[in-house]
Amino acid sequence: MSAFEARVFSGVQPSGNLHLGNYLGAIKRFAGLQSTHNCVYCVVDMHAITVWQDPAHLQAAIREVASAYIAAGIDPKGSIIFNQSQVSGHAELAWVFNCIARMGWLNRMTQFKEKAGKNRENASAGLFVYPSLMAADILLYKATHVPVGEDQKQHLELTRDIAAKFNNDYADRIAELDLGGEEGYFPMTEPVISGPATRVMSLRDGTKKMSKSDLPDLARINLTDDADAIAKKVRKAKTDTEPLPGEVDGLKERPDAANLVGIYAALAETTTADVLKEHAGAQFFAFKPALTDLAVAKLAPIADEMRRLNNDPGYIEGVLADGAERADAIARPVLQGVKDIVGLLSSRK
Ligand code: AMP
Ligand code: TRP
């Protein structure tokens, strides 16, 4: 048993075009964890500006992620919903972690390589140290569990490396100040990456991740798509010509088919194996309409609620302000402990 109280933390960037991958891989699962855990859900606006964001769009996108959280069933009173830049501890702890993380560790991050592309010299320094800020997000709340999609696994491993190095470098000081349990000052956070849709793929190419920046729009189901758009995208989704197999093994080497079955399973809250049992032998001309009906039934109410909330920016901003205050109340003593441990002097406690 960990000495740390269980707490869930996760975040989504307000970088536009929330899609089915964000929903199934992250936001839907955030909502599900509320019945068993204390949950803190962040709109990570400081991560978003590691690449250029139009300022007016950014503010709308921050409200949109918050409304997606609420529309997907996250309770802004029971859980905490806030945006990162309103709690200054994220930036402060990220600086300390920039001094803990090694260049070599950051150099290995595949997301940086993908996002920076060929022109690495021209990437922002923020994009390079992005994982230190992510570790700060999590550890500022001593979070023990972090639900994310598969693509974030490497960043969570780095978070554990940073926590371990901090605990180890300052072990004597942590003991002297009596600030740590058996594990140290920070917990070894567990990634929560489970279920049939931890990596939702493009509808146009089952070997590529569905992403916010995918072109064309047909590759991605947006959370705000209406029933017609969903139906069209599923109808045009790439498939092969074989019927569905009866067993999971039969989906090997069939990435487009595996993707659609995985999406179906996640939306229906069941397993890929069960979907195949039910649809064994089905051709895509029969399976696709079933998938459309299911996707519309599950996603349309979310889109409706997001539209309703988007018309009420005052409410959303109230939720974010209240969340920031409650988040700050947890973060403040954790950050104070870090300052004491590191030896930064603060006379205003
Ligand atoms: P981002 O859009 O990069 O801020 O991602 C927000 C959350 O959605 C993270 O937990 C990601 O791992 C998750 N996510 C993003 N794209 C996908 C995808 N295609 N499939 C599953 N999860 C995803
Ligand atoms: N890097 C994550 C992504 O792109 C977003 C994120 C930022 C995050 N801070 C986090 C996720 C903390 C989980 C916990 O998807």
Side-chain angles (χ1 to χ4, degrees):
M1 256 308 268
S2 164
F4 292 91
E5 190 190 331
R7 179 176 285 132
V8 168
F9 182 96
S10 198
V12 172
Q13 299 186 69
S15 39
N17 289 336
L18 284 175
H19 55 72
L20 188 64
N22 296 130
Y23 177 64
L24 296 177
I27 302 173
K28 181 177 194 294
R29 295 165 56 231
F30 297 178
L33 285 161
Q34 293 177 110
S35 55
T36 46
H37 290 79
N38 282 324
C39 299
V40 182
Y41 295 125
C42 190
V43 184
V44 289
D45 47 5
M46 296 187 336
H47 276 109
I49 60 166
T50 55
V51 298
W52 170 254
Q53 303 292 334
D54 179 280
H57 283 168
L58 179 58
Q59 291 185 332
I62 293 167
R63 286 191 291 263
E64 183 171 69
V65 174
S67 48
Y69 281 173
I70 297 169
I74 299 173
D75 168 15
K77 293 220 164 67
S79 300
I80 295 179
I81 296 178
F82 74 109
N83 60 311
Q84 193 182 27
S85 61
Q86 291 206 65
V87 176
S88 62
H90 291 255
E92 293 183 67
L93 186 57
W95 182 258
V96 175
F97 286 172
N98 280 338
C99 303
I100 299 282
R102 306 289 94 182
M103 291 289 285
W105 300 359
L106 293 168
N107 265 327
R108 282 194 284 276
M109 295 294 113
T110 54
Q111 183 173 299
F112 173 75
K113 289 180 202 167
E114 279 161 24
K115 286 201 177 177
K118 287 204 182 72
N119 196 356
R120 231 185 258 193
E121 292 289 305
N122 197 38
S124 75
L127 190 65
F128 186 67
V129 294
Y130 175 119
S132 307
L133 178 58
M134 179 159 162
D137 296 341
I138 295 164
L139 295 172
L140 191 56
Y141 303 90
K142 296 192 176 178
T144 52
H145 296 86
V146 177
V148 280
E150 176 75 35
D151 60 346
Q152 295 303 309
K153 199 169 168 202
Q154 196 185 31
H155 286 156
L156 291 180
E157 280 160 12
L158 189 87
T159 299
R160 291 164 67 99
D161 289 342
I162 288 176
K165 184 162 164 59
F166 183 93
N167 288 342
N168 185 59
D169 287 358
Y170 292 105
D172 293 347
R173 180 81 174 168
I174 292 167
E176 194 184 309
L177 296 175
D178 198 17
L179 281 173
E182 242 165 75
E183 289 170 83
Y185 188 65
F186 288 121
M188 287 296 121
T189 306
E190 298 284 342
V192 185
I193 304 174
S194 59
T198 54
R199 193 172 171 82
V200 176
M201 307 310 265
S202 158
L203 298 182
R204 304 300 301 165
D205 179 351
T207 64
K208 287 209 185 102
K209 196 179 70 172
M210 184 179 286
S211 87
K212 287 171 176 163
S213 52
D214 254 346
L215 289 171
D217 193 55
L218 270 183
R220 165 184 76 227
I221 293 178
N222 298 308
L223 269 191
T224 47
D225 281 348
D226 61 19
D228 287 349
I230 294 174
K232 178 170 167 203
K233 289 174 183 182
V234 173
R235 196 168 61 243
K236 299 211 165 196
K238 192 166 163 239
T239 54
D240 51 36
T241 50
E242 301 291 309
L244 285 179
E247 311 265 328
V248 178
D249 261 4
L251 288 173
K252 270 190 199 151
E253 321 287 328
R254 296 181 63 188
D256 298 298
N259 190 35
L260 296 186
V261 174
I263 290 171
Y264 189 105
L267 286 169
E269 300 184 13
T270 175
T271 60
T272 303
D274 277 348
V275 175
L276 291 179
K277 248 185 243 155
E278 196 185 324
H279 294 272
Q283 297 285 351
F284 282 103
F285 68 75
F287 184 69
K288 279 180 165 183
L291 177 57
T292 300
D293 288 348
L294 178 64
V296 169
K298 298 285 181 176
L299 302 177
I302 297 174
D304 285 348
E305 180 66 356
M306 282 177 70
R307 268 188 286 277
R308 195 184 68 75
L309 291 167
N310 280 336
N311 287 330
D312 194 353
Y315 169 72
I316 295 293
E317 288 180 19
V319 164
L320 292 172
D322 172 66
E325 213 166 286
R326 289 156 59 212
D328 193 54
I330 303 171
R332 205 173 274 273
V334 177
L335 184 65
Q336 187 57 51
V338 169
K339 290 183 180 175
D340 292 341
I341 290 166
V342 172
L344 301 172
L345 188 62
S346 46
S347 45
R348 298 182 300 133
K349 290 200 181 172

